[in-house]
Amino acid sequence: MLSAIFMGTLLGTLFSRGLLRHLRSRGKALRPNRKRNCARQPERRAFAASSVAEGSRTMIALDFDSPEPLYQQIYRSIRDDITARTIPAGTKLTAIRRLADDLHVARNTVEGAYLQLATEGYVASRPGSGYIVEDLDFDSLGTPGSAARRARQRIEEGVRSSDRFGNEPFSRHMTFTYDFTYGDRPAGSFPAQIWRSLTDEALFTANNKTACYGNGLGEPSLRKQIARRVHVSRGVNCAAEQVVIQPGTQVALDNLLTLFDPAHDAVAMEEPGYDGVSTVLRNRGFRCTPIPVRPLEGKTCGSQAFFDALEASGAKLAFCTPSNQFPTGATMPLSSRIKMLEWAKRTGAYIIEDDYCREFRYETRPIPSLQSLDENDRVIYMGTFSKVLSPALRMSYLVLPPDLLARWRQTFANYYCPVPWLSQETLRLFMKEGHWDRYARKTVTEYRKRRNTLMAAIERELGEHVDVLGGHAGLHLLMRTRDERGQNELVEAAKAHDVRVYKTEKYWMGTPHSMGDYVLVGFSSIKTELIDEGIRHLARAWF
């Protein structure tokens, strides 16, 4: 037994040594061949050729180390020479084979460049003649390549685009420690982990959904969830078929206005009111009549002046925020709601009810919507997910009366839904699995805490020096000093103490009013722990 093991080990050793000697000898034999193969490879350098076109001294330089494909370098070089008239019209480009040999590249590389030039119209392929430069008039375009050079220069030098194009909308060039903004959600508040998990689930169960355009009004399953939810929480009476998914309030309104005629259909709008709506109306060319809102004790709106202006407007469309009037925070009483519905029925007008802040009431339960009282299909209900979930998602919806739904289907028959399927499906799962209810309750609780902290800080630090309007619902309040200083002075004084509050003048359409000294103080984004100190800074700024 031991002798057998010894013999096996000896044979294995001899075989291993023999194999090793064999491999070493093969390596020596292969090394000269490897050198010869390497010698055949072209040197990695820039090649130049003077034969781009017949009778032309134009040179092409290729950088083999550049990430830009070689065919594109050839195409760009010839294109630039054609636009600069270095290669004149009627010139025949060098044959593909010859240029490929001169540049040490494959023929299909040159052919790809020539085909791109022909596709864009710089050259034409003529049987028997090759590629001929077209006769093109570049004089009307200015100096060839100047725009591209300027763009590259701006990018390389880091020149701010606002120097030439102006500031982008909603851009913020100044940051403040105490920013009492309205509408934005707090940083880190989005349920990212849950949303990511539901997105994965949506993709995993997508089947062929990702290969189709989908329903033009929005995914039926999401619309069913929305219809059920707004009926339970807001009393909205609708079928899922009446729900239309939209990418935000302004786009929804802009699309809705397509169903009306700006030459004949005037629009009535609350005064003051959301400037995002008045901007859309103005851009669409609609005549907009301001309807004055008269707050009563900070909680109710609606007066004879409101309805006198509404009757006189001759409007076929009226925009309102009855549950939480923006920006006063007032609530339209039941008597005014009934009167407004009677007006719509009698005149054949429609009412757009923007229920943008329906969840946020801090002293009473949410009240039913205006649409829940409508028995004549005169109310267009508008809702959003921005205030609870995220304004960055750009998701909202309309609930259309049956006759307007028929007109919408006809007008937008060839339109696709502007909200991506994946966003819709993720939101549907978010609702279906109960996350929306839990997250909404948590959000309302957080905002109630911030609102209470803000009201207490104002009472403690500013007290009898200011008047407060609103704050019972929504995400902001209005405030003025009792010495009747204007809002511009108040805003600038706050800035000097690292506090940002906001002007309200943009919410008026130019009519005389008595609220020019109010500023907006929001609590949707500022951290709760910063509110007390922020109001202390504001008190030092104003008094």
Side-chain angles (χ1 to χ4, degrees):
M1 182 69 178
L2 292 175
S3 61
I5 294 174
F6 174 76
M7 289 300 294
T9 303
L10 180 60
L11 289 173
T13 303
L14 292 174
F15 175 77
S16 300
R17 290 177 177 176
L19 179 61
L20 181 61
R21 282 195 299 269
H22 173 72
L23 290 176
R24 285 174 178 171
S25 63
R26 288 288 297 163
K28 292 178 180 179
L30 288 173
R31 274 196 292 272
N33 291 335
R34 185 168 66 248
K35 290 181 179 179
R36 283 197 298 272
N37 290 338
C38 291
R40 293 194 188 100
Q41 298 296 322
E43 184 181 351
R44 307 298 283 180
R45 62 185 181 84
F47 289 86
S50 60
S51 55
V52 177
E54 294 183 358
S56 171
R57 301 296 297 173
T58 303
M59 307 286 286
I60 289 182
L62 295 184
D63 182 0
F64 283 86
D65 294 324
S66 171
E68 184 181 20
L70 295 175
Y71 88 93
Q72 200 163 345
Q73 294 184 47
I74 298 171
Y75 150 80
R76 179 170 45 79
S77 180
I78 299 175
R79 181 204 62 191
D80 292 347
D81 286 334
I82 292 174
T83 57
R85 287 195 167 82
T86 305
I87 304 177
T91 301
K92 178 182 177 181
L93 297 185
T94 301
I96 292 175
R97 181 193 298 246
R98 178 182 166 189
L99 186 59
D101 290 343
D102 290 344
L103 295 176
H104 296 268
V105 297
R107 295 176 193 172
N108 59 2
T109 301
V110 177
E111 186 175 14
Y114 281 11
L115 286 175
Q116 186 64 35
L117 290 166
T119 300
E120 296 185 18
Y122 289 97
V123 300
S125 177
R126 299 178 184 174
S129 300
Y131 288 90
I132 309 298
V133 177
E134 292 278 31
D135 187 7
L136 303 169
D137 181 14
F138 293 106
D139 293 338
S140 60
L141 303 180
T143 306
S146 58
R149 284 193 294 273
R150 287 194 301 272
R152 286 194 297 270
Q153 183 179 3
R154 284 194 294 270
I155 294 172
E156 292 169 359
E157 295 178 357
V159 178
R160 285 179 37 156
S161 61
S162 59
D163 294 342
R164 179 180 181 188
F165 303 111
N167 295 328
E168 295 182 358
F170 303 107
S171 61
R172 295 178 179 176
H173 301 288
M174 299 178 64
T175 58
F176 297 82
T177 303
Y178 311 102
D179 190 349
F180 291 94
T181 186
Y182 159 82
D184 290 347
R185 295 282 287 125
S189 63
F190 185 73
Q193 185 172 354
I194 296 174
W195 196 264
R196 185 185 305 114
S197 175
L198 295 176
T199 300
D200 291 342
E201 181 180 345
L203 290 172
F204 184 75
T205 59
N207 295 325
N208 65 338
K209 290 288 187 179
T210 56
C212 305
Y213 282 101
N215 193 303
L217 302 182
E219 290 303 305
S221 54
L222 173 60
R223 293 156 65 198
K224 185 179 297 184
Q225 284 285 336
I226 293 172
R228 182 184 302 116
R229 192 162 300 278
V230 295
H231 178 69
V232 171
S233 63
R234 307 293 296 125
V236 173
N237 299 308
C238 71
E241 290 76 11
Q242 293 175 254
V243 178
V244 181
I245 306 299
Q246 292 288 281
T249 298
Q250 287 181 298
V251 176
L253 178 63
D254 191 73
N255 288 334
L256 182 64
L257 292 174
T258 305
L259 308 182
F260 297 86
D261 182 3
H264 302 96
D265 299 330
V267 181
M269 181 177 172
E270 299 168 323
E271 174 84 322
Y274 177 38
D275 61 313
V277 169
S278 59
T279 299
V280 173
L281 294 171
R282 183 170 58 252
N283 290 345
R284 275 301 200 122
F286 281 82
R287 178 172 62 86
C288 189
T289 301
I291 309 299
V293 173
R294 303 296 185 186
L296 303 175
E297 300 179 353
K299 292 186 179 180
T300 61
C301 69
S303 65
Q304 193 57 43
F306 179 91
F307 287 102
D308 287 346
L310 185 61
E311 292 284 356
S313 68
K316 290 299 180 183
L317 198 60
F319 181 89
C320 65
T321 51
S323 296
N324 183 28
Q325 202 281 327
F326 186 86
T328 65
T331 302
M332 182 182 286
L334 180 60
S335 59
S336 295
R337 293 173 181 237
I338 294 173
K339 195 171 182 179
M340 196 168 188
L341 288 171
E342 291 174 346
W343 165 82
K345 177 184 176 181
R346 175 167 39 84
T347 61
Y350 288 96
I351 301 170
I352 301 175
E353 178 184 13
D354 185 2
D355 209 13
Y356 70 102
C357 252
R358 60 190 179 275
E359 294 89 358
F360 306 118
R361 298 195 70 82
Y362 307 114
E363 297 176 352
T364 62
R365 289 178 57 83
I367 60 178
S369 65
L370 179 64
Q371 199 268 4
S372 67
L373 302 174
D374 180 22
E375 299 292 340
N376 298 286
D377 295 326
R378 309 313 303 173
V379 176
I380 303 163
Y381 183 83
M382 181 181 291
T384 180
F385 300 101
S386 296
K387 300 300 183 289
V388 170
L389 193 54
S390 170
L393 288 179
R394 308 314 305 140
M395 293 182 69
S396 66
Y397 57 92
L398 296 169
V399 177
L400 298 176
D403 56 342
L404 280 185
L405 177 62
R407 286 160 59 180
W408 182 287
R409 288 179 179 275
Q410 182 179 6
T411 302
F412 295 100
N414 293 323
Y415 283 64
Y416 300 111
C417 182
V419 179
W421 167 82
L422 185 57
S423 298
Q424 295 186 62
E425 179 62 11
T426 305
L427 179 59
R428 182 191 73 83
L429 293 171
F430 193 79
M431 290 180 164
K432 179 177 178 291
E433 297 182 9
H435 299 295
W436 174 271
D437 293 328
R438 289 189 291 272
Y439 186 72
R441 286 194 297 269
K442 176 184 176 183
T443 302
V444 172
T445 300
E446 290 174 350
Y447 278 149
R448 180 180 286 109
K449 181 180 179 181
R450 289 183 194 180
R451 176 260 183 189
N452 292 342
T453 302
L454 176 61
M455 297 292 279
I458 291 174
E459 177 65 26
R460 183 175 59 253
E461 302 295 337
L462 300 172
E464 71 278 2
H465 299 295
V466 298
D467 293 321
V468 175
L469 186 62
H472 307 284
L475 301 173
H476 74 281
L477 53 83
L478 301 183
M479 186 164 60
R480 69 177 176 184
T481 58
R482 290 180 177 173
D483 56 12
E484 298 182 348
R485 277 178 283 173
Q487 59 183 268
N488 290 333
E489 181 181 348
L490 296 177
V491 169
E492 293 304 317
K495 286 182 179 179
H497 285 73
D498 201 19
V499 180
R500 188 169 191 178
V501 294
Y502 293 82
K503 300 178 184 178
T504 59
E505 58 188 16
K506 65 180 180 178
Y507 305 128
W508 299 83
M509 288 184 279
T511 56
H513 60 90
S514 58
M515 296 180 62
D517 48 357
Y518 277 95
V519 296
L520 185 147
V521 182
F523 51 89
S524 69
S525 181
I526 189 170
K527 294 180 179 179
T528 305
E529 57 267 26
L530 294 178
I531 291 177
D532 283 335
E533 188 63 27
I535 295 300
R536 277 195 288 272
H537 275 66
L538 192 62
R540 287 194 289 270
W542 286 356
F543 304 105

PDB file of all heavy atoms in Angstrom, residues 54 65 102 127 188 205 318-319 376 419 427 432 435 508:
ATOM      1  N   GLU A  54     -11.103  66.374 -53.347  1.00  0.00           N
ATOM      2  CA  GLU A  54     -10.244  66.563 -54.510  1.00  0.00           C
ATOM      3  C   GLU A  54      -9.956  68.047 -54.720  1.00  0.00           C
ATOM      4  O   GLU A  54     -10.851  68.881 -54.706  1.00  0.00           O
ATOM      5  CB  GLU A  54     -10.938  65.982 -55.751  1.00  0.00           C
ATOM      6  CG  GLU A  54     -11.094  64.468 -55.682  1.00  0.00           C
ATOM      7  CD  GLU A  54     -11.708  63.898 -56.947  1.00  0.00           C
ATOM      8  OE1 GLU A  54     -12.036  64.706 -57.831  1.00  0.00           O
ATOM      9  OE2 GLU A  54     -11.839  62.668 -57.041  1.00  0.00           O
ATOM     10  N   ASP A  65      -7.321  58.533 -28.952  1.00  0.00           N
ATOM     11  CA  ASP A  65      -7.546  58.416 -27.517  1.00  0.00           C
ATOM     12  C   ASP A  65      -8.795  59.156 -27.052  1.00  0.00           C
ATOM     13  O   ASP A  65      -9.143  59.106 -25.875  1.00  0.00           O
ATOM     14  CB  ASP A  65      -6.330  58.951 -26.748  1.00  0.00           C
ATOM     15  CG  ASP A  65      -5.100  58.085 -26.984  1.00  0.00           C
ATOM     16  OD1 ASP A  65      -5.274  56.857 -27.088  1.00  0.00           O
ATOM     17  OD2 ASP A  65      -3.987  58.641 -27.073  1.00  0.00           O
ATOM     18  N   ASP A 102      -5.600  56.471 -45.823  1.00  0.00           N
ATOM     19  CA  ASP A 102      -4.810  57.609 -45.363  1.00  0.00           C
ATOM     20  C   ASP A 102      -4.914  57.815 -43.849  1.00  0.00           C
ATOM     21  O   ASP A 102      -3.946  58.198 -43.194  1.00  0.00           O
ATOM     22  CB  ASP A 102      -5.254  58.892 -46.072  1.00  0.00           C
ATOM     23  CG  ASP A 102      -4.863  58.896 -47.546  1.00  0.00           C
ATOM     24  OD1 ASP A 102      -4.012  58.067 -47.933  1.00  0.00           O
ATOM     25  OD2 ASP A 102      -5.413  59.724 -48.301  1.00  0.00           O
ATOM     26  N   PRO A 127     -24.572  58.331 -58.073  1.00  0.00           N
ATOM     27  CA  PRO A 127     -24.040  57.087 -58.654  1.00  0.00           C
ATOM     28  C   PRO A 127     -22.920  57.380 -59.653  1.00  0.00           C
ATOM     29  O   PRO A 127     -23.055  58.227 -60.537  1.00  0.00           O
ATOM     30  CB  PRO A 127     -25.257  56.467 -59.340  1.00  0.00           C
ATOM     31  CG  PRO A 127     -26.436  57.046 -58.622  1.00  0.00           C
ATOM     32  CD  PRO A 127     -26.036  58.431 -58.250  1.00  0.00           C
ATOM     33  N   GLY A 188     -36.619  65.936   3.779  1.00  0.00           N
ATOM     34  CA  GLY A 188     -36.589  64.620   4.401  1.00  0.00           C
ATOM     35  C   GLY A 188     -37.939  64.068   4.792  1.00  0.00           C
ATOM     36  O   GLY A 188     -38.012  62.990   5.408  1.00  0.00           O
ATOM     37  N   THR A 205     -44.597  43.720 -11.155  1.00  0.00           N
ATOM     38  CA  THR A 205     -45.904  43.212 -11.583  1.00  0.00           C
ATOM     39  C   THR A 205     -46.437  43.953 -12.808  1.00  0.00           C
ATOM     40  O   THR A 205     -47.637  43.908 -13.091  1.00  0.00           O
ATOM     41  CB  THR A 205     -46.915  43.344 -10.436  1.00  0.00           C
ATOM     42  OG1 THR A 205     -47.029  44.731 -10.057  1.00  0.00           O
ATOM     43  CG2 THR A 205     -46.480  42.536  -9.233  1.00  0.00           C
ATOM     44  N   ALA A 318     -66.352  80.169 -12.760  1.00  0.00           N
ATOM     45  CA  ALA A 318     -65.945  80.863 -11.536  1.00  0.00           C
ATOM     46  C   ALA A 318     -64.963  79.983 -10.772  1.00  0.00           C
ATOM     47  O   ALA A 318     -65.215  78.797 -10.557  1.00  0.00           O
ATOM     48  CB  ALA A 318     -67.154  81.172 -10.659  1.00  0.00           C
ATOM     49  N   PHE A 319     -63.843  80.565 -10.358  1.00  0.00           N
ATOM     50  CA  PHE A 319     -62.822  79.834  -9.601  1.00  0.00           C
ATOM     51  C   PHE A 319     -62.906  80.244  -8.136  1.00  0.00           C
ATOM     52  O   PHE A 319     -62.899  81.440  -7.814  1.00  0.00           O
ATOM     53  CB  PHE A 319     -61.427  80.140 -10.146  1.00  0.00           C
ATOM     54  CG  PHE A 319     -60.329  79.413  -9.422  1.00  0.00           C
ATOM     55  CD1 PHE A 319     -59.927  78.149  -9.835  1.00  0.00           C
ATOM     56  CD2 PHE A 319     -59.718  79.983  -8.313  1.00  0.00           C
ATOM     57  CE1 PHE A 319     -58.932  77.470  -9.156  1.00  0.00           C
ATOM     58  CE2 PHE A 319     -58.715  79.308  -7.628  1.00  0.00           C
ATOM     59  CZ  PHE A 319     -58.323  78.050  -8.057  1.00  0.00           C
ATOM     60  N   ASN A 376     -76.833  69.547  -9.645  1.00  0.00           N
ATOM     61  CA  ASN A 376     -77.085  69.892 -11.044  1.00  0.00           C
ATOM     62  C   ASN A 376     -75.830  69.801 -11.918  1.00  0.00           C
ATOM     63  O   ASN A 376     -75.806  70.344 -13.017  1.00  0.00           O
ATOM     64  CB  ASN A 376     -77.667  71.308 -11.124  1.00  0.00           C
ATOM     65  CG  ASN A 376     -78.991  71.421 -10.399  1.00  0.00           C
ATOM     66  OD1 ASN A 376     -80.014  70.947 -10.864  1.00  0.00           O
ATOM     67  ND2 ASN A 376     -78.963  72.047  -9.208  1.00  0.00           N
ATOM     68  N   VAL A 419     -49.074  62.148 -17.091  1.00  0.00           N
ATOM     69  CA  VAL A 419     -48.412  61.632 -15.888  1.00  0.00           C
ATOM     70  C   VAL A 419     -47.919  60.213 -16.171  1.00  0.00           C
ATOM     71  O   VAL A 419     -48.697  59.365 -16.617  1.00  0.00           O
ATOM     72  CB  VAL A 419     -49.368  61.626 -14.681  1.00  0.00           C
ATOM     73  CG1 VAL A 419     -48.661  61.072 -13.445  1.00  0.00           C
ATOM     74  CG2 VAL A 419     -49.889  63.027 -14.415  1.00  0.00           C
ATOM     75  N   LEU A 427     -48.455  55.439  -6.797  1.00  0.00           N
ATOM     76  CA  LEU A 427     -49.412  56.146  -5.957  1.00  0.00           C
ATOM     77  C   LEU A 427     -50.626  55.270  -5.648  1.00  0.00           C
ATOM     78  O   LEU A 427     -51.137  55.270  -4.520  1.00  0.00           O
ATOM     79  CB  LEU A 427     -49.850  57.445  -6.637  1.00  0.00           C
ATOM     80  CG  LEU A 427     -50.878  58.277  -5.872  1.00  0.00           C
ATOM     81  CD1 LEU A 427     -50.354  58.675  -4.503  1.00  0.00           C
ATOM     82  CD2 LEU A 427     -51.265  59.524  -6.677  1.00  0.00           C
ATOM     83  N   LYS A 432     -53.720  52.024  -1.835  1.00  0.00           N
ATOM     84  CA  LYS A 432     -54.359  50.725  -1.631  1.00  0.00           C
ATOM     85  C   LYS A 432     -53.858  50.017  -0.387  1.00  0.00           C
ATOM     86  O   LYS A 432     -54.633  49.379   0.335  1.00  0.00           O
ATOM     87  CB  LYS A 432     -54.131  49.857  -2.867  1.00  0.00           C
ATOM     88  CG  LYS A 432     -54.726  48.449  -2.803  1.00  0.00           C
ATOM     89  CD  LYS A 432     -54.500  47.722  -4.109  1.00  0.00           C
ATOM     90  CE  LYS A 432     -55.039  46.304  -4.061  1.00  0.00           C
ATOM     91  NZ  LYS A 432     -54.243  45.458  -3.141  1.00  0.00           N
ATOM     92  N   HIS A 435     -50.893  53.234   3.111  1.00  0.00           N
ATOM     93  CA  HIS A 435     -49.823  54.173   3.452  1.00  0.00           C
ATOM     94  C   HIS A 435     -50.315  55.616   3.417  1.00  0.00           C
ATOM     95  O   HIS A 435     -49.871  56.444   4.224  1.00  0.00           O
ATOM     96  CB  HIS A 435     -48.645  54.002   2.493  1.00  0.00           C
ATOM     97  CG  HIS A 435     -48.027  52.640   2.526  1.00  0.00           C
ATOM     98  ND1 HIS A 435     -47.380  52.139   3.628  1.00  0.00           N
ATOM     99  CD2 HIS A 435     -47.972  51.656   1.582  1.00  0.00           C
ATOM    100  CE1 HIS A 435     -46.938  50.917   3.374  1.00  0.00           C
ATOM    101  NE2 HIS A 435     -47.287  50.599   2.140  1.00  0.00           N
ATOM    102  N   TRP A 508     -53.445  89.987  -5.696  1.00  0.00           N
ATOM    103  CA  TRP A 508     -54.479  90.938  -6.095  1.00  0.00           C
ATOM    104  C   TRP A 508     -54.328  91.259  -7.575  1.00  0.00           C
ATOM    105  O   TRP A 508     -53.232  91.328  -8.104  1.00  0.00           O
ATOM    106  CB  TRP A 508     -54.373  92.212  -5.268  1.00  0.00           C
ATOM    107  CG  TRP A 508     -54.563  91.977  -3.801  1.00  0.00           C
ATOM    108  CD1 TRP A 508     -53.614  91.551  -2.914  1.00  0.00           C
ATOM    109  CD2 TRP A 508     -55.759  92.118  -3.054  1.00  0.00           C
ATOM    110  NE1 TRP A 508     -54.143  91.420  -1.663  1.00  0.00           N
ATOM    111  CE2 TRP A 508     -55.470  91.772  -1.712  1.00  0.00           C
ATOM    112  CE3 TRP A 508     -57.059  92.518  -3.372  1.00  0.00           C
ATOM    113  CZ2 TRP A 508     -56.416  91.797  -0.707  1.00  0.00           C
ATOM    114  CZ3 TRP A 508     -58.006  92.558  -2.376  1.00  0.00           C
ATOM    115  CH2 TRP A 508     -57.691  92.192  -1.057  1.00  0.00           C
TER     116      TRP A 508
END
